[in-house]
């Protein structure tokens, strides 16, 4: 099916699902205290508005402006980074340590990255968090930091083992359980809080109706806006019940773009009516669930703002729609300001000012922090921004910090980290949640489940992508190990050796990862394996769209993520130790409809 035709079909299917779900909702739903769509027991504190307003009024302008910024910082320690990280801090910020950075700019937050060497181990992260909080509470206005991370799980995970790793959003969408989504967020949030991290840039609220989307894909719960909305709300409640600010992203919706906003400026072609049907529901659900934060997208959305400005810099979108139409009263954070999507039209000195004028509150990861800080100060001095406008955003930020208990106790208990992170109980929750996500797409000859009691000789090969966190996998080897543990004789081999080794095997399990349209090494490998006559089991590790771009196989399975926990679940499905119950949360154009999934 041509791409544009398939995209139109996806849009129509999603709109129909939205209308059907809306009718079901109108019919009524009796909610119980345990229903994940009901408000979770509050784990937050009620901010003392008068005290916070007095604090804001007492702050100097540099301190106020500093609270708007959330920056990266290099190193595993707040005060004693490795020499290479000290050099990076010096080159980019004019200081050697993260603690000095916090004190110099009176920062409101720090974002952790693996590539910035912030996330080596749970104990190290907790110590880093405490060092940063000491720097913040010991300088300037003595306001604790809101420490944050991109820990979506699945394809985006900055903190790896021994922390508990869950399947990503699309896998949870395949499981279809709001309760499982809530449990995953609750456990993930508890572990983040134990590390001193009180803001997570999750859940993703984008509705993925474009198979060619290069940046969202499996980070989305699916293509049905009502199902996505339900899972988004469940995760918001789960994170915040654990004391962690949830961040619904990327407003007003990044699910039908063909450009990655990290490297370009995407254009969203939905009409206003399509936006209301497809993109709005998950964000509305997040707001109604009480999300502390919403993140903007660096996308142009002509139907919502014809100016050509990215949504992050659009007052009609941020203030007119998010604030006024949806009634959001929390913190609006920009997506990272070092991304190309927000830098193409204006200079790095203008972007922070324009984001604030649009209605944003937190300015995330400015490429040149010093320039950005000076630019906001200059805008206030010139009258382009008023102190009152800055105070408005700072008050919102402080309210989140107060709600998450940071004014009472911003520190992680370093002595308890190992007892709270990656516990057997949490790992068991991850296995239980993942068990319902693996989706059996095709099994025309009844090859599956494999008879593990007969000890079949299996070959496992194909794509072996690096783990997002760098701490699990490689998936083909993990899958072979798990199959062997269940009674099979499974051997993992690289693709260049697989075809010659296939004859005589009971089956070949071939892993694929984001197969492109047309000819590709992955397509050649699958075709050559099928040509051997040995039954081939296709395991799509990431995008479930892979089978439509490959020769038909004896069996086809989608896992949506490739962390060890999903490979264990897939092995159980392949051997019948667990019956498959996942259902496609997106249609696979030309092959499988939305909701497809087989069972034994």
């Amino acid at each position: 099916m041509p791409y544009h035709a398939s995209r139109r079909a996806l849009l129509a299917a999603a709109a129909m699902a939205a209308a059907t779900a809306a009718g079901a909702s109108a019919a009524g739903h009796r909610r119980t205290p345990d229903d994940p769509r009901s408000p979770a027991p509050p784990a937050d504190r009620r901010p003392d508005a008068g005290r916070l307003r007095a604090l804001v009024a007492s702050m100097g302008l540099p301190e106020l402006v500093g609270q708007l910024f959330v920056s990266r910082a290099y190193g595993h320690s707040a005060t004693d980074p490795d020499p290479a990280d000290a050099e990076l801090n010096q080159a980019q910020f004019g200081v050697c340590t993260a603690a000095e950075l916090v004190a110099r700019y009176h920062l409101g937050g720090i974002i952790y990255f693996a590539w910035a060497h912030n996330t080596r181990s749970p104990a190290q992260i907790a110590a880093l968090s405490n060092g940063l909080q000491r720097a913040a509470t010991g300088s300037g206005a003595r306001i604790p930091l809101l420490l944050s991370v991109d820990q979506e799980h699945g394809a985006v995970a900055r903190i790896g083992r021994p922390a508990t790793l869950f399947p990503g959003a699309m896998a949870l969408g395949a499981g279809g359980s709001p309760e499982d989504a809530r449990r995953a967020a609750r456990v993930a949030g508890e572990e983040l809080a134990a590390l001193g991290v009180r803001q997570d840039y999750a859940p993703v609220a984008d509705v993925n109706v474009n198979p060619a989307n290069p940046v969202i894909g499996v980070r989305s719960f699916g293509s049905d806006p009502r199902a996505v909305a339900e899972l988004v709300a469940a995760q918001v409640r789960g994170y915040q019940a654990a004391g962690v600010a949830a961040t619904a992203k990327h407003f007003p919706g990044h699910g039908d773009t063909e450009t990655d906003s990290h490297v370009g400026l995407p254009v969203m072609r939905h009409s206003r009516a399509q936006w209301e049907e497809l993109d709005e529901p998950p964000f509305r659900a997040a707001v109604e669930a009480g999300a502390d934060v919403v993140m903007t997208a660096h996308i142009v959305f002509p139907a919502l703002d014809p100016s050509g400005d990215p949504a992050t810099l659009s007052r009609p979108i941020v203030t007119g729609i998010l604030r006024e139409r949806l009634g959001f009263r929390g913190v609006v954070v920009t997506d990272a300001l070092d991304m190309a999507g927000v830098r193409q039209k204006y200079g790095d000195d203008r972007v922070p000012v324009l984001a604030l004028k649009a209605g944003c509150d937190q300015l995330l990861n400015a490429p040149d922090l010093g320039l950005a800080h000076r630019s906001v100060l200059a805008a206030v001095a010139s009258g382009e921004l008023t102190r009152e406008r800055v105070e408005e955003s700072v008050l919102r930020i402080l309210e989140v910090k107060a709600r998450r208990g940071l004014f009472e106790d911003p520190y992680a208990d370093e002595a308890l980290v190992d007892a709270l992170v990656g516990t057997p109980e949490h790992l068991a929750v991850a296995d239980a949640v993942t068990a319902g996500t693996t989706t059996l797409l095709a099994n025309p000859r009844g090859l599956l489940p494999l008879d593990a009691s007969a000890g079949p000789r299996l070959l496992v090969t194909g794509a072996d992508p690096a783990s997002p966190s760098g701490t699990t996998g490689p998936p083909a080897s993990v899958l072979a190990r798990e199959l062997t543990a269940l009674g099979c004789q499974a051997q993992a081999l690289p693709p260049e050796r697989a075809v010659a080794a296939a004859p005589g095997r009971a089956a070949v399990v071939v892993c694929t990862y984001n197969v492109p349209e047309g000819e590709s090494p992955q397509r050649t490998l699958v075709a050559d394996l099928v040509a051997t006559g040995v039954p081939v089991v296709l395991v799509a590790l990431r995008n479930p769209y892979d089978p439509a771009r490959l020769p038909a196989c004896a069996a086809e399975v989608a896992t949506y993520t490739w962390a060890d926990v999903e490979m264990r679940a897939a092995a159980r499905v392949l051997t019948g130790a667990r019956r498959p119950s996942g259902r496609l949360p997106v249609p696979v154009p030309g092959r499988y409809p939305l909701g497809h999934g087989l069972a034994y």
Side-chain angles (χ1 to χ4, degrees):
M1 183 185 300
Y3 165 68
H4 291 291
S6 65
R7 178 173 167 274
R8 286 194 296 271
L10 282 167
L11 290 171
M16 183 175 294
T20 301
S25 176
H29 175 77
R30 184 176 179 181
R31 298 186 179 184
T32 68
D34 293 330
D35 190 323
R37 289 172 291 186
S38 299
D44 52 10
R45 284 79 164 173
R46 184 181 297 277
D48 184 335
R51 176 189 170 216
L52 294 180
R53 281 194 293 269
L55 176 57
V56 169
S58 72
M59 294 167 66
L61 186 60
E63 295 170 343
L64 277 175
V65 171
Q67 283 296 305
L68 305 174
F69 285 94
V70 180
S71 179
R72 67 197 176 281
Y74 295 91
H76 69 286
S77 165
T79 57
D80 188 25
D82 291 340
D85 290 321
E87 290 179 9
L88 286 168
N89 286 326
Q90 183 65 48
Q92 296 186 24
F93 307 116
V95 297
C96 289
T97 71
E100 293 172 309
L101 177 66
V102 168
R104 168 174 285 195
Y105 289 103
H106 314 291
L107 291 177
I110 291 286
I111 178 173
Y112 288 164
F113 291 108
W115 52 259
H117 308 139
N118 304 141
T119 59
R120 290 182 178 177
S121 72
Q124 168 268 316
I125 297 170
L128 172 61
S129 298
N130 286 347
L132 291 169
Q133 293 292 14
R134 283 191 290 270
T137 57
S139 64
R142 303 181 183 275
I143 296 174
L145 295 160
L146 191 55
L147 300 173
S148 60
V149 70
D150 265 316
Q151 188 77 354
E152 298 172 12
H153 292 267
V156 177
R158 313 300 188 196
I159 301 171
R161 253 182 350 201
T164 305
L165 294 173
F166 284 92
M170 193 169 285
L172 293 173
S177 168
E179 172 60 14
D180 281 351
R182 185 197 64 80
R183 291 169 69 203
R186 178 67 182 259
V187 169
E190 288 175 356
E191 295 198 357
L192 289 176
L195 303 177
V197 177
R198 292 302 186 90
Q199 181 178 7
D200 192 10
Y201 296 117
V204 171
D206 303 313
V207 179
N208 199 78
V209 294
N210 187 341
N213 195 320
V215 68
I216 303 301
V218 294
R219 298 168 63 197
S220 164
F221 289 106
S223 65
D224 177 346
R226 303 298 166 181
V228 173
E230 195 168 28
L231 295 171
V232 165
Q235 289 227 301
V236 165
R237 294 187 174 104
Y239 280 117
Q240 294 188 177
V244 170
T247 305
K249 61 185 187 185
H250 308 76
F251 190 82
H254 210 317
D256 191 11
T257 56
E258 299 175 33
T259 301
D260 183 345
S261 52
H262 292 84
V263 298
L265 180 57
V267 178
M268 190 75 154
R269 299 296 183 187
H270 287 186
S271 67
R272 176 67 181 244
Q274 286 177 318
W275 177 80
E276 291 176 359
E277 291 178 351
L278 304 178
D279 305 295
E280 179 185 23
F283 291 101
R284 181 175 291 281
V287 171
E288 292 175 353
D292 280 342
V293 187
V294 171
M295 177 182 284
T296 62
H298 303 327
I299 61 171
V300 172
F301 208 131
L304 304 184
D305 180 358
S307 70
D309 286 344
T312 297
L313 309 182
S314 167
R315 187 169 180 82
I317 291 175
V318 176
T319 297
I321 297 178
L322 180 56
R323 294 280 189 211
E324 296 172 1
R325 176 182 169 89
L326 299 187
F328 182 60
R329 296 293 177 260
V331 168
V332 178
V333 61
T334 70
D335 206 343
L337 296 183
D338 62 344
M339 294 166 59
V342 78
R343 302 174 73 186
Q344 289 191 353
K345 188 173 180 180
Y346 301 101
D348 290 338
D349 59 332
R350 295 296 299 154
V351 166
V353 175
L354 295 174
L356 292 169
K357 292 178 72 173
C360 296
D361 303 304
Q362 281 185 318
L363 305 170
L364 178 60
N365 206 31
D368 186 332
L369 178 60
L371 174 64
H373 192 269
R374 292 191 301 273
S375 296
V376 176
L377 289 173
V380 176
S382 71
E384 184 177 10
L385 289 171
T386 64
R387 178 183 169 105
E388 289 72 25
R389 170 66 191 89
V390 175
E391 286 184 349
E392 179 184 298
S393 284
V394 173
L395 183 60
R396 290 193 190 105
I397 293 165
L398 298 190
E399 285 173 345
V400 170
K401 293 183 179 185
R403 198 152 49 241
R404 298 299 142 222
L406 287 167
F407 284 101
E408 296 174 11
D409 183 10
Y411 297 103
D413 190 332
E414 295 180 49
L416 292 180
V417 169
D418 290 338
L420 296 173
V421 176
T423 66
E425 294 80 9
H426 287 177
L427 295 173
V429 172
D431 274 328
V433 167
T434 311
T437 64
T438 307
T439 306
L440 178 60
L441 301 174
N443 193 27
R445 291 186 257 165
L447 175 66
L448 301 181
L450 300 166
D451 183 4
S453 66
R457 293 180 66 243
L458 305 177
L459 174 64
V460 183
T461 189
D464 235 359
S467 166
S469 66
T471 63
T472 68
S477 297
V478 173
L479 183 55
R481 182 186 71 211
E482 296 295 337
L483 288 166
T484 298
L486 291 167
C488 302
Q489 301 176 55
Q491 179 186 18
L493 285 178
E496 60 268 21
R497 296 173 55 192
V499 176
R505 310 279 179 155
V508 177
V509 179
V510 58
C511 300
T512 64
Y513 181 91
N514 289 8
V515 176
E517 295 278 6
E519 295 301 318
S520 69
Q522 291 191 75
R523 180 179 177 83
T524 299
L525 173 64
V526 173
D528 289 347
L529 289 170
V530 170
T532 67
V534 177
V536 175
V537 179
L538 172 68
V539 177
L541 295 178
R542 183 167 176 163
N543 283 347
Y545 310 114
D546 286 0
R549 300 165 181 173
L550 295 167
C553 295
E556 297 173 353
V557 172
T559 65
Y560 313 98
T561 186
W562 60 104
D564 291 5
V565 66
E566 190 60 69
M567 294 301 95
R568 283 196 298 276
R572 291 171 186 151
V573 165
L574 295 180
T575 59
R578 163 83 190 195
R579 292 182 178 180
S581 58
R583 297 291 181 267
L584 276 174
V586 293
V588 177
R591 291 293 288 274
Y592 305 116
L594 175 70
H596 173 76
L598 305 178
Y600 300 145

